[in-house]
Amino acid sequence: MSLIEQIDLAKVPNHIAVIMDGNGRWAKKRGLLRVLGHEKGAKAVQETIEAAGKTGVGYLTLYAFSTENWNRPKSEVDKLMNLLVSSLKKEFKTLHKNGIQLNVIGNIEDLPSKAQKELQEVIEKTKNNNKLTLTLALSYGSRDEIVKTVREIAHKVKNNIISLENIDDSIINEHLYTQNLPDVDLLIRTSGEQRISNFLLWQIAYAELYFTDILWPDFKKEDLYKAILNYQNRERRFGKTSEQLK
């Protein structure tokens, strides 16, 4: 029986988030330029999107470029931005054909104008697709997101738009970049590192965490299926006891 046949399609995580780590190390191990690792990593993105669609995952969020990544050498950042634009142009037809809606979170205004333009065009053209919502986290940092949220809510309290007593989880959710996304059910990180790296800190409060030693460019469909199977073998209690769930 294949891995996908072992998956209970009725219990697939609704929202999977992925920290795609290891492109640089993949290239270094082979004596290649780092940018070639990123190009190979783009192919892993294609496989992951396709695999998520096959299993019925509703939301897939990929950590594509963090706020800290701006500190990398300018030549690498420029190549990453060019790769983003070329990938969007190349993959648009496939995304649209497969009913995938593109979404973006982060400080998008920090991106080069060409990248912003390409993103907005694909977002507009896929906005009515409803099979899978693909979210790219670009120039994203969760602490920045939380600071932005606090400032916006504080401003509204100051101007009597929101009362202090009414601030709760839902109010905070409404001001996050992810306001239209459900909480994360499964967080995957590749490359063997076991940390969150400032990614969706609020949204992963009850997510199951899955770490794999596989470097991102080597991540295949079967690897996503393994992560989903691992997720399905866990008991998600949300603070309750096993007996209460039964």
Side-chain angles (χ1 to χ4, degrees):
M1 184 183 292
S2 67
L3 286 172
I4 192 170
E5 290 174 327
Q6 297 175 46
I7 293 173
D8 182 347
L9 297 180
K11 296 180 180 179
V12 170
N14 185 38
H15 187 177
I16 296 178
V18 185
I19 300 174
M20 307 179 293
D21 193 20
N23 289 343
R25 273 168 283 171
W26 183 92
K28 186 176 180 180
K29 283 175 64 176
R30 291 161 176 77
L32 303 172
L33 295 174
R34 287 177 60 89
V35 68
L36 296 178
H38 296 308
E39 289 176 0
K40 181 69 174 177
K43 294 181 180 179
V45 169
Q46 296 171 4
E47 285 222 15
T48 302
I49 295 171
E50 184 178 338
K54 284 184 176 180
T55 57
V57 171
Y59 300 85
L60 177 65
T61 299
L62 305 178
Y63 203 7
F65 193 87
S66 73
T67 50
E68 292 79 11
N69 286 156
W70 291 112
N71 296 320
R72 292 187 177 185
K74 185 178 184 301
S75 59
E76 182 176 347
V77 171
D78 289 344
K79 288 173 182 176
L80 280 168
M81 292 298 116
N82 289 334
L83 180 60
L84 170 64
V85 172
S86 62
S87 295
L88 287 168
K89 288 182 176 179
K90 182 180 177 182
E91 298 301 324
F92 163 68
K93 287 184 179 179
T94 301
L95 293 176
H96 196 48
K97 177 183 176 182
N98 292 310
I100 298 171
Q101 179 185 124
L102 182 67
N103 181 46
V104 182
I105 57 173
N107 297 316
I108 310 305
E109 62 275 9
D110 291 341
L111 300 177
S113 58
K114 189 174 182 180
Q116 291 186 47
K117 181 175 181 291
E118 196 65 36
L119 281 165
Q120 291 303 326
E121 286 182 4
V122 178
I123 289 170
E124 179 62 27
K125 290 176 180 176
T126 62
K127 66 181 182 181
N128 295 320
N129 294 343
N130 56 19
K131 183 176 180 181
L132 169 68
T133 298
L134 171 65
T135 299
L136 300 181
L138 292 164
S139 191
Y140 174 87
S142 191
R143 285 186 171 183
D144 282 354
E145 176 184 32
I146 292 170
V147 168
K148 174 193 76 71
T149 296
V150 171
R151 284 174 175 165
E152 289 178 359
I153 293 174
H155 176 76
K156 290 183 178 180
V157 170
K158 181 180 179 181
N159 289 280
N160 297 315
I161 299 172
I162 296 175
S163 66
L164 194 62
E165 295 74 18
N166 287 338
I167 297 176
D168 57 12
D169 285 11
S170 64
I171 292 292
I172 294 173
N173 282 327
E174 288 172 9
H175 291 81
L176 294 170
Y177 289 130
T178 55
Q179 58 187 263
N180 296 317
L181 303 177
D183 282 346
V184 176
D185 298 302
L186 172 63
L187 174 70
I188 300 170
R189 180 169 188 150
T190 60
S191 88
E193 304 292 352
Q194 298 188 16
R195 54 179 177 268
I196 306 305
S197 296
N198 198 21
F199 185 46
L200 300 176
L201 300 178
W202 173 273
Q203 298 87 342
I204 62 169
Y206 282 101
E208 298 297 323
L209 309 183
Y210 180 86
F211 301 105
T212 175
D213 290 335
I214 297 169
L215 298 176
W216 178 249
D218 291 327
F219 195 83
K220 307 297 183 187
K221 297 174 187 176
E222 290 74 17
D223 298 307
L224 182 69
Y225 299 152
K226 287 178 184 177
I228 293 174
L229 284 168
N230 181 280
Y231 166 88
Q232 292 188 339
N233 286 323
R234 300 187 191 186
E235 183 179 68
R236 306 187 75 204
R237 297 192 297 273
F238 299 98
K240 297 180 180 180
T241 66
S242 297
E243 290 71 23
Q244 284 177 299
L245 293 177
K246 294 175 182 177

Short mmCIF file of all heavy atoms in Angstrom, two decimals, residues 105-148:
data_model
loop_
_atom_site.label_atom_id
_atom_site.label_comp_id
_atom_site.label_asym_id
_atom_site.label_seq_id
_atom_site.Cartn_x
_atom_site.Cartn_y
_atom_site.Cartn_z
N ILE A 105 1.51 36.94 2.95
CA ILE A 105 1.54 37.63 4.24
C ILE A 105 2.95 38.18 4.47
O ILE A 105 3.93 37.61 4.00
CB ILE A 105 1.15 36.70 5.41
CG1 ILE A 105 2.07 35.47 5.47
CG2 ILE A 105 -0.31 36.29 5.31
CD1 ILE A 105 1.85 34.59 6.70
N GLY A 106 3.03 39.30 5.16
CA GLY A 106 4.32 39.91 5.45
C GLY A 106 4.37 41.36 5.02
O GLY A 106 3.37 41.94 4.59
N ASN A 107 5.54 41.96 5.14
CA ASN A 107 5.74 43.36 4.75
C ASN A 107 5.98 43.43 3.24
O ASN A 107 7.11 43.64 2.78
CB ASN A 107 6.94 43.95 5.50
CG ASN A 107 6.71 43.99 7.00
OD1 ASN A 107 5.63 44.37 7.47
ND2 ASN A 107 7.71 43.59 7.76
N ILE A 108 4.93 43.24 2.49
CA ILE A 108 5.04 43.13 1.04
C ILE A 108 5.61 44.40 0.41
O ILE A 108 6.29 44.34 -0.63
CB ILE A 108 3.65 42.81 0.41
CG1 ILE A 108 3.01 41.63 1.14
CG2 ILE A 108 3.80 42.51 -1.07
CD1 ILE A 108 3.88 40.39 1.19
N GLU A 109 5.39 45.53 1.05
CA GLU A 109 5.88 46.79 0.49
C GLU A 109 7.42 46.85 0.49
O GLU A 109 8.00 47.69 -0.19
CB GLU A 109 5.32 47.99 1.27
CG GLU A 109 5.70 48.05 2.72
CD GLU A 109 4.79 47.22 3.63
OE1 GLU A 109 3.97 46.46 3.11
OE2 GLU A 109 4.93 47.38 4.86
N ASP A 110 8.05 45.95 1.23
CA ASP A 110 9.52 45.92 1.25
C ASP A 110 10.09 45.20 0.02
O ASP A 110 11.29 45.30 -0.26
CB ASP A 110 10.03 45.19 2.50
CG ASP A 110 9.76 46.00 3.77
OD1 ASP A 110 9.53 47.21 3.67
OD2 ASP A 110 9.79 45.39 4.87
N LEU A 111 9.25 44.45 -0.69
CA LEU A 111 9.72 43.69 -1.85
C LEU A 111 9.95 44.62 -3.04
O LEU A 111 9.36 45.70 -3.12
CB LEU A 111 8.68 42.63 -2.24
CG LEU A 111 8.33 41.58 -1.18
CD1 LEU A 111 7.23 40.66 -1.72
CD2 LEU A 111 9.54 40.78 -0.77
N PRO A 112 10.80 44.22 -3.98
CA PRO A 112 11.00 45.02 -5.20
C PRO A 112 9.66 45.21 -5.92
O PRO A 112 8.79 44.33 -5.86
CB PRO A 112 11.96 44.16 -6.03
CG PRO A 112 12.66 43.30 -5.04
CD PRO A 112 11.66 43.02 -3.96
N SER A 113 9.50 46.34 -6.58
CA SER A 113 8.22 46.66 -7.24
C SER A 113 7.82 45.60 -8.26
O SER A 113 6.64 45.28 -8.40
CB SER A 113 8.33 48.03 -7.92
OG SER A 113 9.40 48.05 -8.86
N LYS A 114 8.79 45.02 -8.94
CA LYS A 114 8.49 43.98 -9.93
C LYS A 114 7.87 42.76 -9.27
O LYS A 114 6.91 42.17 -9.79
CB LYS A 114 9.77 43.59 -10.68
CG LYS A 114 9.53 42.68 -11.88
CD LYS A 114 10.83 42.46 -12.65
CE LYS A 114 10.58 41.59 -13.89
NZ LYS A 114 11.86 41.36 -14.64
N ALA A 115 8.40 42.38 -8.12
CA ALA A 115 7.87 41.23 -7.38
C ALA A 115 6.47 41.55 -6.85
O ALA A 115 5.57 40.70 -6.92
CB ALA A 115 8.81 40.86 -6.23
N GLN A 116 6.28 42.76 -6.34
CA GLN A 116 4.96 43.17 -5.84
C GLN A 116 3.92 43.10 -6.96
O GLN A 116 2.80 42.60 -6.76
CB GLN A 116 5.02 44.58 -5.28
CG GLN A 116 5.82 44.73 -4.01
CD GLN A 116 5.72 46.13 -3.42
OE1 GLN A 116 4.63 46.69 -3.31
NE2 GLN A 116 6.85 46.70 -3.06
N LYS A 117 4.30 43.59 -8.12
CA LYS A 117 3.38 43.63 -9.27
C LYS A 117 2.99 42.21 -9.69
O LYS A 117 1.80 41.92 -9.91
CB LYS A 117 4.03 44.35 -10.44
CG LYS A 117 3.17 44.47 -11.69
CD LYS A 117 3.88 45.31 -12.75
CE LYS A 117 3.02 45.47 -14.01
NZ LYS A 117 2.89 44.17 -14.73
N GLU A 118 3.96 41.32 -9.76
CA GLU A 118 3.69 39.94 -10.19
C GLU A 118 2.81 39.22 -9.16
O GLU A 118 1.88 38.50 -9.52
CB GLU A 118 5.01 39.18 -10.37
CG GLU A 118 4.88 37.90 -11.17
CD GLU A 118 4.47 38.13 -12.61
OE1 GLU A 118 4.91 39.14 -13.21
OE2 GLU A 118 3.68 37.31 -13.14
N LEU A 119 3.10 39.45 -7.90
CA LEU A 119 2.29 38.84 -6.84
C LEU A 119 0.84 39.30 -6.91
O LEU A 119 -0.09 38.49 -6.86
CB LEU A 119 2.88 39.20 -5.47
CG LEU A 119 4.10 38.41 -5.01
CD1 LEU A 119 4.77 39.12 -3.84
CD2 LEU A 119 3.70 37.00 -4.62
N GLN A 120 0.64 40.61 -7.04
CA GLN A 120 -0.72 41.14 -7.08
C GLN A 120 -1.50 40.63 -8.29
O GLN A 120 -2.71 40.36 -8.20
CB GLN A 120 -0.68 42.68 -7.09
CG GLN A 120 -0.21 43.29 -5.77
CD GLN A 120 -1.04 42.84 -4.58
OE1 GLN A 120 -2.25 42.63 -4.68
NE2 GLN A 120 -0.39 42.66 -3.44
N GLU A 121 -0.82 40.47 -9.41
CA GLU A 121 -1.49 39.96 -10.61
C GLU A 121 -1.97 38.52 -10.40
O GLU A 121 -3.10 38.17 -10.76
CB GLU A 121 -0.54 40.03 -11.81
CG GLU A 121 -0.34 41.44 -12.35
CD GLU A 121 0.56 41.46 -13.58
OE1 GLU A 121 0.96 40.37 -14.05
OE2 GLU A 121 0.86 42.57 -14.07
N VAL A 122 -1.10 37.68 -9.83
CA VAL A 122 -1.48 36.28 -9.61
C VAL A 122 -2.55 36.18 -8.53
O VAL A 122 -3.49 35.38 -8.65
CB VAL A 122 -0.25 35.43 -9.23
CG1 VAL A 122 -0.65 33.98 -8.95
CG2 VAL A 122 0.80 35.47 -10.34
N ILE A 123 -2.43 36.99 -7.49
CA ILE A 123 -3.46 37.01 -6.43
C ILE A 123 -4.82 37.37 -7.01
O ILE A 123 -5.84 36.72 -6.72
CB ILE A 123 -3.06 38.00 -5.32
CG1 ILE A 123 -1.88 37.44 -4.51
CG2 ILE A 123 -4.25 38.27 -4.39
CD1 ILE A 123 -1.28 38.44 -3.54
N GLU A 124 -4.86 38.39 -7.85
CA GLU A 124 -6.11 38.83 -8.47
C GLU A 124 -6.70 37.76 -9.38
O GLU A 124 -7.90 37.49 -9.34
CB GLU A 124 -5.86 40.11 -9.26
CG GLU A 124 -7.09 40.67 -9.98
CD GLU A 124 -8.23 41.06 -9.05
OE1 GLU A 124 -7.95 41.40 -7.88
OE2 GLU A 124 -9.39 41.04 -9.50
N LYS A 125 -5.84 37.12 -10.17
CA LYS A 125 -6.31 36.12 -11.14
C LYS A 125 -6.75 34.81 -10.49
O LYS A 125 -7.51 34.06 -11.09
CB LYS A 125 -5.22 35.85 -12.17
CG LYS A 125 -4.96 37.02 -13.11
CD LYS A 125 -3.80 36.73 -14.06
CE LYS A 125 -3.54 37.90 -14.99
NZ LYS A 125 -2.35 37.66 -15.86
N THR A 126 -6.30 34.55 -9.28
CA THR A 126 -6.65 33.28 -8.62
C THR A 126 -7.61 33.48 -7.45
O THR A 126 -7.90 32.52 -6.72
CB THR A 126 -5.38 32.57 -8.11
OG1 THR A 126 -4.73 33.39 -7.12
CG2 THR A 126 -4.41 32.28 -9.24
N LYS A 127 -8.11 34.68 -7.24
CA LYS A 127 -8.87 34.99 -6.03
C LYS A 127 -10.16 34.18 -5.89
O LYS A 127 -10.67 34.00 -4.77
CB LYS A 127 -9.20 36.48 -5.97
CG LYS A 127 -10.13 36.97 -7.07
CD LYS A 127 -10.38 38.47 -6.94
CE LYS A 127 -11.36 38.97 -8.00
NZ LYS A 127 -11.57 40.44 -7.88
N ASN A 128 -10.70 33.67 -7.00
CA ASN A 128 -11.95 32.90 -6.92
C ASN A 128 -11.72 31.39 -6.84
O ASN A 128 -12.67 30.61 -6.77
CB ASN A 128 -12.84 33.22 -8.12
CG ASN A 128 -13.31 34.67 -8.11
OD1 ASN A 128 -13.65 35.21 -7.05
ND2 ASN A 128 -13.33 35.31 -9.27
N ASN A 129 -10.47 30.96 -6.86
CA ASN A 129 -10.16 29.53 -6.74
C ASN A 129 -10.36 29.09 -5.28
O ASN A 129 -10.09 29.86 -4.36
CB ASN A 129 -8.72 29.25 -7.17
CG ASN A 129 -8.51 29.51 -8.65
OD1 ASN A 129 -9.46 29.60 -9.42
ND2 ASN A 129 -7.26 29.65 -9.05
N ASN A 130 -10.84 27.88 -5.09
CA ASN A 130 -11.18 27.47 -3.72
C ASN A 130 -10.77 26.06 -3.33
O ASN A 130 -11.23 25.53 -2.32
CB ASN A 130 -12.69 27.63 -3.49
CG ASN A 130 -13.51 26.86 -4.51
OD1 ASN A 130 -13.02 25.94 -5.16
ND2 ASN A 130 -14.78 27.24 -4.67
N LYS A 131 -9.91 25.42 -4.13
CA LYS A 131 -9.50 24.06 -3.76
C LYS A 131 -8.41 24.09 -2.69
O LYS A 131 -8.44 23.31 -1.74
CB LYS A 131 -8.98 23.31 -4.99
CG LYS A 131 -8.62 21.86 -4.66
CD LYS A 131 -8.19 21.10 -5.90
CE LYS A 131 -7.83 19.65 -5.52
NZ LYS A 131 -7.38 18.87 -6.69
N LEU A 132 -7.46 24.99 -2.82
CA LEU A 132 -6.35 25.11 -1.87
C LEU A 132 -5.90 26.56 -1.82
O LEU A 132 -5.74 27.20 -2.86
CB LEU A 132 -5.18 24.21 -2.31
CG LEU A 132 -3.84 24.39 -1.57
CD1 LEU A 132 -3.96 23.92 -0.13
CD2 LEU A 132 -2.73 23.62 -2.28
N THR A 133 -5.71 27.08 -0.61
CA THR A 133 -5.16 28.42 -0.45
C THR A 133 -3.68 28.30 -0.15
O THR A 133 -3.28 27.78 0.89
CB THR A 133 -5.86 29.19 0.69
OG1 THR A 133 -7.26 29.34 0.37
CG2 THR A 133 -5.24 30.56 0.88
N LEU A 134 -2.86 28.77 -1.09
CA LEU A 134 -1.41 28.75 -0.94
C LEU A 134 -0.95 30.12 -0.46
O LEU A 134 -1.14 31.12 -1.16
CB LEU A 134 -0.75 28.40 -2.27
CG LEU A 134 0.77 28.56 -2.33
CD1 LEU A 134 1.46 27.59 -1.38
CD2 LEU A 134 1.27 28.39 -3.76
N THR A 135 -0.38 30.17 0.72
CA THR A 135 0.09 31.44 1.28
C THR A 135 1.61 31.46 1.32
O THR A 135 2.24 30.54 1.85
CB THR A 135 -0.46 31.65 2.71
OG1 THR A 135 -1.89 31.67 2.66
CG2 THR A 135 0.05 32.96 3.29
N LEU A 136 2.19 32.51 0.74
CA LEU A 136 3.63 32.71 0.80
C LEU A 136 3.93 33.75 1.86
O LEU A 136 3.39 34.86 1.83
CB LEU A 136 4.16 33.19 -0.55
CG LEU A 136 3.94 32.28 -1.76
CD1 LEU A 136 4.55 32.91 -3.02
CD2 LEU A 136 4.54 30.89 -1.53
N ALA A 137 4.76 33.39 2.84
CA ALA A 137 5.20 34.34 3.85
C ALA A 137 6.47 35.01 3.32
O ALA A 137 7.52 34.37 3.21
CB ALA A 137 5.47 33.63 5.17
N LEU A 138 6.36 36.29 2.96
CA LEU A 138 7.45 37.01 2.32
C LEU A 138 7.77 38.27 3.12
O LEU A 138 6.87 39.05 3.45
CB LEU A 138 7.07 37.38 0.89
CG LEU A 138 6.94 36.22 -0.09
CD1 LEU A 138 6.17 36.65 -1.34
CD2 LEU A 138 8.33 35.70 -0.48
N SER A 139 9.05 38.48 3.41
CA SER A 139 9.45 39.57 4.30
C SER A 139 8.58 39.51 5.55
O SER A 139 8.04 40.51 6.02
CB SER A 139 9.30 40.93 3.61
OG SER A 139 9.92 41.94 4.37
N TYR A 140 8.46 38.27 6.07
CA TYR A 140 7.58 38.02 7.21
C TYR A 140 8.37 37.72 8.47
O TYR A 140 9.37 37.00 8.44
CB TYR A 140 6.67 36.81 6.91
CG TYR A 140 5.83 36.39 8.10
CD1 TYR A 140 4.59 36.98 8.33
CD2 TYR A 140 6.29 35.44 9.01
CE1 TYR A 140 3.83 36.62 9.43
CE2 TYR A 140 5.55 35.08 10.12
CZ TYR A 140 4.32 35.67 10.33
OH TYR A 140 3.57 35.33 11.43
N GLY A 141 7.91 38.27 9.58
CA GLY A 141 8.45 37.96 10.90
C GLY A 141 7.29 38.01 11.88
O GLY A 141 6.54 38.99 11.91
N SER A 142 7.13 36.98 12.68
CA SER A 142 5.97 36.91 13.56
C SER A 142 5.99 37.99 14.64
O SER A 142 4.95 38.55 15.00
CB SER A 142 5.89 35.53 14.21
OG SER A 142 4.65 35.36 14.86
N ARG A 143 7.16 38.31 15.16
CA ARG A 143 7.22 39.37 16.17
C ARG A 143 6.81 40.71 15.57
O ARG A 143 6.10 41.49 16.22
CB ARG A 143 8.63 39.44 16.77
CG ARG A 143 8.94 38.31 17.73
CD ARG A 143 10.29 38.49 18.41
NE ARG A 143 10.50 37.53 19.47
CZ ARG A 143 11.57 37.50 20.26
NH1 ARG A 143 12.53 38.40 20.09
NH2 ARG A 143 11.68 36.59 21.21
N ASP A 144 7.26 40.99 14.35
CA ASP A 144 6.84 42.22 13.68
C ASP A 144 5.32 42.24 13.51
O ASP A 144 4.67 43.28 13.68
CB ASP A 144 7.50 42.32 12.30
CG ASP A 144 8.94 42.78 12.37
OD1 ASP A 144 9.39 43.12 13.48
OD2 ASP A 144 9.61 42.79 11.33
N GLU A 145 4.77 41.09 13.14
CA GLU A 145 3.32 40.98 12.95
C GLU A 145 2.58 41.27 14.25
O GLU A 145 1.57 41.99 14.26
CB GLU A 145 2.98 39.57 12.46
CG GLU A 145 1.48 39.32 12.31
CD GLU A 145 1.18 37.88 11.91
OE1 GLU A 145 1.95 36.97 12.31
OE2 GLU A 145 0.18 37.66 11.21
N ILE A 146 3.08 40.73 15.36
CA ILE A 146 2.43 40.93 16.65
C ILE A 146 2.55 42.39 17.10
O ILE A 146 1.58 42.98 17.60
CB ILE A 146 3.02 39.97 17.70
CG1 ILE A 146 2.61 38.52 17.36
CG2 ILE A 146 2.53 40.32 19.10
CD1 ILE A 146 3.33 37.46 18.17
N VAL A 147 3.71 43.00 16.88
CA VAL A 147 3.89 44.42 17.22
C VAL A 147 2.92 45.28 16.40
O VAL A 147 2.27 46.20 16.93
CB VAL A 147 5.35 44.87 16.97
CG1 VAL A 147 5.46 46.39 17.04
CG2 VAL A 147 6.28 44.23 17.99
N LYS A 148 2.80 44.99 15.11
CA LYS A 148 1.88 45.71 14.24
C LYS A 148 0.44 45.57 14.76
O LYS A 148 -0.32 46.56 14.83
CB LYS A 148 1.96 45.14 12.81
CG LYS A 148 0.94 45.73 11.85
CD LYS A 148 0.86 44.92 10.56
CE LYS A 148 0.10 43.63 10.72
NZ LYS A 148 -1.36 43.81 10.90
#
